[in-house]
Amino acid sequence: MSIKALYLWCICLGFLQLSVAAEKVRYFKWNVEYMYGTPDCVEHAVIGIDGQFPGPTIRAHTGDILHIELTNKLSTEGVVIHWHGIRQFGTPWADGTASISQCAINPGETFHYRFKVDRPGTYFYHGHYGMQRSAGLYGSLIVDLPEGQKEPFHYDGEFNLLLSDWWHKSAHDQELGLSSNPFRWIGEPQSLLINGRGQFNCSMAAGFGNTTLPQCKFRGNEKCAPQILHVQPNKTYRLRIASSTALASLNLAIGNHKLVVVEADGNYVQPFAVDDIDLYSGESYSVLITTDQDPKKNYWVSVGVRGRSPKTPQALTILNYQTTTASKLPTSPPPITPRWNDYARSKAFAEKVLALMETPQPPKYANRRVILLNTQNKVNGFTKWAINNVSLALPPTPYLGSLKFGLKNSFNQEIPPENFSPEYDIFNPPVNPNSKTGNGVYMFELDSVVDVILQNANALDANVSEIHPWHLHGHDFWVLGYGDGKFSPEDEKKFNLKNPPLKNTAVIFPYGWTALRFKADNPGVWAFHCHIEPHLHMGMGVIFAEGVQYVKRIPKDALTCGLTGKMFLNNKHN
């Protein structure tokens, strides 16, 4: 189907109005536990759910209630699960963020997540305690339209691709190194995984001379053997792609096949065709491919590293035309991943993502603006990331309970800074790199409109400015635009108020800025943070809150730690 035909299809159908249907409860009983796995053909401890890695895929319809009874079988550490992209209207305690929306679930204990999935889209879930996402705690969450409704684009079948990165050292090793003085970096991941499968000690494309590894020889039942995408000729397939990486920014391509982007972070976008697609940690997309190539051949699906000097081989699998055998390797080499620091190409792709007609437009004006400077700093000699010179250190009492019950001693009551010094030079390492830790909250009036300007800067080392994908819990935001250098009021003229995409994750490029706008219309306390796991662990995040007084029925077992736990205990004995 051509781009023009797809676009006309979207216009004709318009933005789908979801019908009110009877709520259906989908119940899951999960045990989270360590297990041995071979994600990249090397045995390693992974966090699995009911013996599965990645965790089970959740599939539901819009309007369904998900009820997950989660038991922590990790004998020495707590756990929570965040349902990435689900906005949790009316259920902020189910967001799955330790120290923010709930207490960590202790070993041996059970917690009930119960929430509504209110719109269709491609989502995923992952651990949000410590660095458990790095250890493999993630899985897919797909929300379909209600029965009888159709998407604004046609496809004959679909595949789900959950992308991740993998280290041979444990997440605990990585966490310790990040928290040490001197700082100890675990290095780049050993492998990239597609649906939890990759190859470290062999290559599927060894015959093409781009690797010194031997050729992989799979029987097909190995847990690291690639999942082949089996297709019929002359059909259209939807690929749901999500990135749960802990560090790597990725690029996906399919040999000889165009990718037509139709969904981003659970929101429909104006269809556009590309040869490859960039995915930053926390992002999800749907793309359409048409199987219009030589049906006697198979084709590579390749995933490579972007945004960092790549020391990790591409992940590979095969698009198999079922008119030929799946064991036949493609006759051409895998697609070449674009140069890792070709940021002009990265920005060009990001700016092509525009909202589909009839997607809600942003308010013309904001009530408040917060400018967040992203810097690498030192705190008492320890290397940290900081926002406006404050490195986030989460308190032992969840913010949701602290604000709901007025416990002012549970976190820093100082209002966090909403801007940075105009003299700050973003192109050079900080003159004074010393920062401080903090855990204050940005408080917003309910239903107010907030602009957030994410400003990138130099790291501690000269000439280094890293990519940061920022994820907002509890909301979608409009991406109003990107720019180079330091943001100025003049840059407002560049804002796209006509058809900016609605997303929950957006990237800031090196030495640049990204402008976001959202409506603070979801009572609760919400994390806003860099989705790169080491950066969040080192303090790269802030806390937003709005309308907490309107939150009702917080389950007590979400707040049985810290000062809220003591409050419940004292009330019990009074």
Side-chain angles (χ1 to χ4, degrees):
M1 182 180 289
S2 69
I3 304 298
K4 184 176 181 181
L6 273 170
Y7 187 57
L8 290 174
W9 181 287
C10 296
I11 292 174
C12 290
L13 288 181
F15 196 74
L16 294 171
Q17 301 297 316
L18 304 181
S19 62
V20 178
E23 293 179 351
K24 179 177 182 179
V25 177
R26 297 182 185 268
Y27 173 76
F28 304 87
K29 188 174 183 179
W30 285 357
N31 294 311
V32 176
E33 55 199 335
Y34 277 104
M35 53 181 276
Y36 284 111
T38 52
D40 62 356
C41 305
V42 176
E43 188 173 72
H44 202 285
V46 303
I47 299 182
I49 297 175
D50 292 341
Q52 295 184 48
F53 166 77
T57 295
I58 293 178
R59 193 116 199 181
H61 287 284
T62 304
D64 287 351
I65 302 292
L66 299 186
H67 181 177
I68 299 97
E69 181 182 336
L70 188 74
T71 299
N72 181 6
K73 293 295 184 72
L74 309 176
S75 59
T76 60
E77 56 191 291
V79 72
V80 295
I81 288 183
H82 168 56
W83 316 95
H84 188 107
I86 306 302
R87 293 172 293 181
Q88 301 292 352
F89 283 116
T91 53
W93 51 266
D95 190 45
T97 48
S99 296
I100 302 171
S101 63
Q102 68 171 111
C103 303
I105 307 164
N106 289 323
E109 292 187 347
T110 298
F111 185 80
H112 291 258
Y113 290 101
R114 187 180 172 96
F115 55 90
K116 178 182 285 190
V117 288
D118 65 330
R119 60 188 177 150
T122 304
Y123 310 104
F124 63 104
Y125 60 85
H126 60 81
H128 216 291
Y129 179 74
M131 296 188 68
Q132 292 176 347
R133 179 157 52 96
S134 293
L137 182 52
Y138 44 75
S140 294
L141 198 171
I142 307 300
V143 182
D144 293 308
L145 287 165
E147 295 283 359
Q149 292 194 17
K150 294 182 179 180
E151 299 279 8
F153 40 81
H154 167 77
Y155 55 98
D156 301 297
E158 74 173 58
F159 298 95
N160 185 43
L161 303 180
L162 183 61
L163 310 180
S164 54
D165 42 15
W166 190 250
W167 284 260
H168 289 169
K169 287 187 177 180
S170 73
H172 297 301
D173 283 336
Q174 185 172 4
E175 190 172 338
L176 177 61
L178 296 172
S179 306
S180 295
N181 185 10
F183 177 78
R184 295 175 65 174
W185 173 233
I186 196 173
E188 303 301 309
Q190 276 66 62
S191 306
L192 302 178
L193 308 180
I194 304 174
N195 290 338
R197 296 165 178 249
Q199 298 80 45
F200 172 74
N201 51 12
C202 67
S203 172
M204 293 177 63
F208 292 98
N210 58 354
T211 177
T212 58
L213 293 172
Q215 182 69 41
C216 294
K217 296 179 181 178
F218 291 120
R219 296 185 304 274
N221 60 348
E222 297 90 348
K223 290 187 178 179
C224 61
Q227 291 182 346
I228 307 297
L229 280 57
H230 301 288
V231 297
Q232 293 291 334
N234 300 312
K235 300 289 185 182
T236 298
Y237 291 88
R238 178 182 191 172
L239 274 62
R240 295 180 180 267
I241 314 165
S243 174
S244 65
T245 56
L247 176 69
S249 302
L250 302 177
N251 179 272
L252 180 141
I254 301 177
N256 287 36
H257 290 74
K258 290 283 189 181
L259 310 177
V260 178
V261 181
V262 293
E263 177 212 349
D265 291 356
N267 294 284
Y268 298 124
V269 299
Q270 295 179 22
F272 64 96
V274 287
D275 294 322
D276 53 77
I277 182 173
D278 285 339
L279 293 108
Y280 301 98
S281 178
E283 287 190 313
S284 64
Y285 286 94
S286 282
V287 302
L288 302 181
I289 63 167
T290 300
T291 51
D292 54 3
Q293 298 301 300
D294 187 346
K296 298 177 182 177
K297 294 181 179 181
N298 292 326
Y299 301 87
W300 292 113
V301 179
S302 69
V303 179
V305 172
R306 296 273 273 138
R308 302 181 69 86
S309 181
K311 298 178 176 63
T312 309
Q314 287 180 324
L316 296 171
T317 188
I318 289 175
L319 185 74
N320 164 233
Y321 278 62
Q322 290 185 285
T323 44
T324 190
T325 175
S327 61
K328 182 192 292 186
L329 291 177
T331 56
S332 301
I336 297 173
T337 300
R339 195 175 74 249
W340 71 273
N341 58 353
D342 186 353
Y343 296 119
R345 182 188 178 106
S346 302
K347 295 171 189 175
F349 173 81
E351 290 170 351
K352 289 179 182 177
V353 182
L354 299 171
L356 188 64
M357 186 178 295
E358 296 187 26
T359 299
Q361 290 184 312
K364 290 185 178 181
Y365 304 101
N367 304 113
R368 187 167 166 191
R369 171 169 292 166
V370 177
I371 301 179
L372 302 178
L373 176 69
N374 293 235
T375 56
Q376 196 178 56
N377 295 73
K378 293 281 188 177
V379 176
N380 299 323
F382 292 86
T383 302
K384 297 289 184 181
W385 287 97
I387 305 302
N388 292 346
N389 211 40
V390 179
S391 184
L392 180 63
L394 293 172
T397 304
Y399 289 99
L400 185 61
S402 297
L403 291 172
K404 176 67 176 175
F405 299 111
L407 305 177
K408 294 186 178 181
N409 293 327
S410 62
F411 65 90
N412 189 342
Q413 296 297 302
E414 181 182 349
I415 299 173
E418 301 200 2
N419 206 336
F420 61 95
S421 169
E423 285 76 39
Y424 191 94
D425 183 357
I426 68 167
F427 295 103
N428 287 299
V431 175
N432 177 11
N434 294 310
S435 182
K436 63 179 181 179
T437 58
N439 51 34
V441 177
Y442 292 89
M443 301 290 294
F444 301 124
E445 291 290 331
L446 189 63
D447 291 326
S448 62
V449 178
V450 181
D451 275 1
V452 177
I453 310 297
L454 295 167
Q455 176 68 64
N456 214 339
N458 214 93
L460 287 172
D461 295 329
N463 301 317
V464 174
S465 183
E466 296 193 20
I467 272 180
H468 302 294
W470 275 75
H471 171 59
L472 177 58
H473 293 229
H475 309 76
D476 281 347
F477 47 66
W478 290 276
V479 183
L480 301 185
Y482 307 88
D484 297 323
K486 188 185 291 188
F487 177 82
S488 74
E490 284 294 307
D491 289 319
E492 291 184 45
K493 297 175 183 177
K494 305 174 186 176
F495 286 178
N496 174 13
L497 299 179
K498 179 182 177 182
N499 54 4
L502 271 171
K503 297 184 88 262
N504 61 57
T505 303
V507 65
I508 40 171
F509 295 104
Y511 302 111
W513 55 264
T514 299
L516 314 174
R517 180 169 293 175
F518 75 96
K519 192 171 184 180
D521 58 358
N522 192 3
V525 184
W526 310 105
F528 183 44
H529 60 89
C530 178
H531 209 261
I532 292 176
E533 189 94 312
H535 293 184
L536 174 59
H537 178 73
M538 295 163 66
M540 200 171 196
V542 294
I543 304 299
F544 291 167
E546 70 240 27
V548 178
Q549 66 272 27
Y550 300 109
V551 175
K552 299 179 181 178
R553 298 186 297 276
I554 303 174
K556 284 190 175 181
D557 57 353
L559 303 174
T560 53
C561 59
L563 295 183
T564 46
K566 291 179 181 178
M567 180 187 71
F568 294 147
L569 186 65
N570 292 335
N571 288 344
K572 182 176 180 180
H573 292 282
N574 286 340

